[in-house]
Amino acid sequence: MAASGDRHPLFVPLVLVGGLVFGFGLGYSHMARPEVVLNFLQFEDFGLLFVMFGGAAVTGVAFFVAPRLLDRAPLTGDRFERRLKSFDRNVLVGGGIFGVGWGLSGICPGAAYASLGIGNVTILWALAGMFLGAYLQGWWRSRATDGVDPAPTGAD
Amino acid sequence: MVADPVPLQAAAELFPNGISRYAVGGLFVGLGAAVIYVGTGISAGASTFLESTLSFVSGQSRFHQYAASRDWRLVFTLGIVLGAAVYAVIYQDGAWTTDVSWWRLLLGGVFVGIGTRVGKGCTSGHGVCGVGSASKTSIAGVLAFLVTAIVTAQVVAALGVTP
C-alpha cells in the first residue's frame, strides 16, 4: 500500500466514489434497515441473499478480470491479489460471536454506517457498541500478545 | 382466473418484497467494492474502520497496525454514509429510523465489534470480497455468522422480544 505522502492524487477520490456506490447499494437494498435483516434471519424474507451473493458475484468478476487486464493496480502500483485470509479457529469463533450480534441487532458494520446516511440516528447505539466491542477486543489482544506476535490480519 | 404456477407462488412467499431491490442493491454494493479493487488492489471491507479509527484515540498496538490505512478508511466510511444519504434523498420520504430497541442495538453492536475483529472480517469483508475471491476462510466465516445469527434471531423472536 502506498504511503500517505506519495499517493496517487486520484486514490482518495476513487475510494470516496467506491464508498458512495457501496453505501447507495446498502440503502437501495434496504439492508441499512435492521428490521429487514431480522426478517431475513427469521425466514420471513429471503431477499437479503441476493444482496450478499449479488455483491459477491460482481466482486468475483473484478477479482477475476482485473489481474488479467492489468499488471498492477493503477492508483497504488500494488499487485492484484485475492482476498485470502489464513483459516484458524478464530474465524469460526469470531464469526459465531459476530452472528450473535448480527442476530440480536440486525446490524453489521457497513450497513450501520449506511443506516446513519438514511437518517437513522438511533443506529448510533449500534455504532457505539461496535467501537466498544472492537476496543475491548483490541485491548484484550494487545495485553495477550504484546511483544509476541502483532502480525497484521490484513485489510477488510 | 389462471393461478400462478406453483414455483412462482412459492417464490412470492419467500420474497414478499420481490427481489429487485435486493438484487439491484447487491450489484451496487459489489460495484463499489469492485471500483476500489480495480483502482487500488484493495479488497475493501467495512469493519477494520473500527480498529483503524480507534488508533486516533488509543495507544494500543492492536489499533496502530492499521494507522497507515486509517485516513482512507475514514473516506470509505464517509462515502458509505453519503451514498446511503443519496439513496434516501432520491427514494425515501425523509429520515427513516429503526424501531429496534436501543439495548439490542448496543449489545448487538458490542458482539459485532468483538466478533468481526476476532473473525477477521464482516459481512462485506468476508461476505462480499471474500466470497467473491472464493476464499475458503471467508466462506467458513460467512457460514459461521449466518448460522449463529439465524439461531439468535429465532430465539430472540421466540422469547417475544419485539421489535
Side-chain angles (χ1 to χ4, degrees):
Chain A
M1 195 177 305
S4 313
D6 53 6
R7 264 190 194 141
H8 194 286
L10 289 179
F11 177 87
V12 167
L14 181 101
V15 169
L16 182 65
V17 169
L20 275 166
V21 176
F22 193 96
F24 179 86
L26 286 170
Y28 195 95
S29 68
H30 286 49
M31 197 170 164
R33 302 183 177 193
E35 281 87 340
V36 173
V37 175
L38 293 173
N39 281 343
F40 163 70
L41 296 172
Q42 291 162 22
F43 301 148
E44 284 160 16
D45 183 350
F46 285 87
L48 223 65
L49 288 173
F50 283 85
V51 183
M52 195 181 294
F53 291 108
V58 176
T59 56
V61 171
F63 279 86
F64 181 81
V65 170
R68 287 166 174 77
L69 290 184
L70 301 166
D71 189 35
R72 285 168 182 278
L75 301 188
T76 56
D78 289 347
R79 291 197 168 280
F80 287 111
E81 287 163 354
R82 290 162 68 211
R83 183 189 183 281
L84 298 178
K85 297 207 170 183
S86 57
F87 181 81
D88 54 42
R89 205 167 56 94
N90 281 341
V91 175
L92 298 180
V93 172
I97 297 171
F98 179 98
V100 170
W102 201 35
L104 187 61
S105 64
I107 270 299
C108 58
Y113 316 147
S115 203
L116 203 54
I118 62 171
N120 186 12
V121 287
T122 315
I123 209 68
L124 289 169
W125 286 108
L127 282 167
M130 281 179 210
F131 275 109
L132 184 61
Y135 181 79
L136 288 173
Q137 195 274 341
W139 175 80
W140 176 80
R141 190 179 292 193
S142 283
R143 273 172 56 101
T145 63
D146 255 0
V148 182
D149 177 29
T153 52
D156 65 87
Chain B
M1 284 295 289
V2 180
D4 283 335
V6 171
L8 276 185
Q9 287 178 9
E13 277 176 30
L14 297 178
F15 304 103
N17 296 303
I19 58 170
S20 65
R21 70 156 69 145
Y22 299 111
V24 171
L27 294 181
F28 273 105
V29 170
L31 187 63
V35 163
I36 292 174
Y37 180 73
V38 172
T40 67
I42 295 168
S43 40
S47 58
T48 307
F49 167 76
L50 300 169
E51 281 178 295
S52 68
T53 303
L54 283 168
S55 73
F56 285 107
V57 295
S58 165
Q60 300 282 348
S61 61
R62 173 72 190 164
F63 306 129
H64 279 269
Q65 61 178 300
Y66 299 108
S69 67
R70 65 188 184 186
D71 55 348
W72 74 254
R73 289 184 192 281
L74 270 171
V75 172
F76 179 56
T77 302
L78 184 69
I80 294 175
V81 175
L82 291 178
V86 169
Y87 160 80
V89 168
I90 298 175
Y91 295 101
Q92 197 173 268
D93 244 358
W96 180 93
T97 51
T98 184
D99 287 327
V100 175
S101 333
W102 68 269
W103 64 268
R104 290 179 69 176
L105 297 173
L106 180 65
L107 190 59
V110 172
F111 277 103
V112 166
I114 296 172
T116 181
R117 301 299 77 213
V118 173
K120 310 180 189 183
C122 61
T123 29
S124 52
H126 277 322
V128 174
C129 289
V131 171
S133 295
S135 154
K136 290 193 180 74
T137 299
S138 287
I139 291 168
V142 168
L143 287 175
F145 67 63
L146 262 183
V147 168
T148 54
I150 287 168
V151 170
T152 305
Q154 306 265 1
V155 167
V156 169
L159 292 174
V161 182
T162 52

